[in-house]
Amino acid sequence: QVQLVESGGGLVQAGGSLRLTCTASTRTFSDLNVPWFRQAPGKEREFVATISWSGGYTSLTDSVKGRFSISRDRAKNTVYLQMNSLKHEGTAVYYCAAGQALTQRAADYSYWGQGTQITVSS
């Protein structure tokens, strides 16, 4: 079983930056694709970014392109989501996931972290 833990959330001013970390309990994490999703109050969980097992492929949703980036350190079983120029509408709980899929559909992923709250003040 792959267990994921997110860290790095908190309160930040609009225009500021945060880096989220997703760390796995097992080295098998290195063989999985890892997306990030976010969910704002009263809204559906939405795709943010993903990275392939090798790190060679990344994809970002249009609303964060140019501001966010995703990377991984396979040796450390860790995936990072760097968030720059944060906007108030980015306020949400952010989740990392893992699985064989490389899609933007939350239901395609078997493993999930507990989530971390990001609040962007305006």
Side-chain angles (χ1 to χ4, degrees):
Q1 183 84 19
V2 178
Q3 296 182 0
L4 308 177
V5 178
E6 301 98 335
S7 62
L11 177 65
V12 63
Q13 286 188 318
S17 298
L18 287 173
R19 188 177 75 165
L20 302 184
T21 299
C22 178
T23 302
S25 62
T26 175
R27 200 176 189 91
T28 59
F29 182 66
S30 298
D31 299 325
L32 300 175
N33 305 314
V34 180
W36 286 89
F37 292 81
R38 65 186 179 188
Q39 189 165 23
K43 296 187 177 181
E44 294 183 346
R45 192 166 297 187
E46 67 172 348
F47 172 81
V48 178
T50 194
I51 188 166
S52 66
W53 68 270
S54 67
Y57 172 83
T58 61
S59 181
L60 300 167
T61 195
D62 286 345
S63 64
V64 306
K65 286 180 179 176
R67 299 186 296 114
F68 290 13
S69 63
I70 187 168
S71 62
R72 73 188 302 169
D73 186 335
R74 298 178 73 248
K76 296 180 179 179
N77 295 336
T78 298
V79 171
Y80 304 100
L81 182 67
Q82 179 67 45
M83 306 186 295
N84 299 325
S85 301
L86 282 161
K87 300 177 180 180
H88 180 68
E89 50 264 44
T91 295
V93 178
Y94 285 67
Y95 301 88
C96 64
Q100 294 292 332
L102 192 58
T103 70
Q104 300 183 13
R105 185 169 177 264
D108 290 341
Y109 298 93
S110 299
Y111 305 106
W112 291 85
Q114 82 288 352
T116 186
Q117 176 72 50
I118 284 73
T119 301
V120 184
S121 64
S122 57

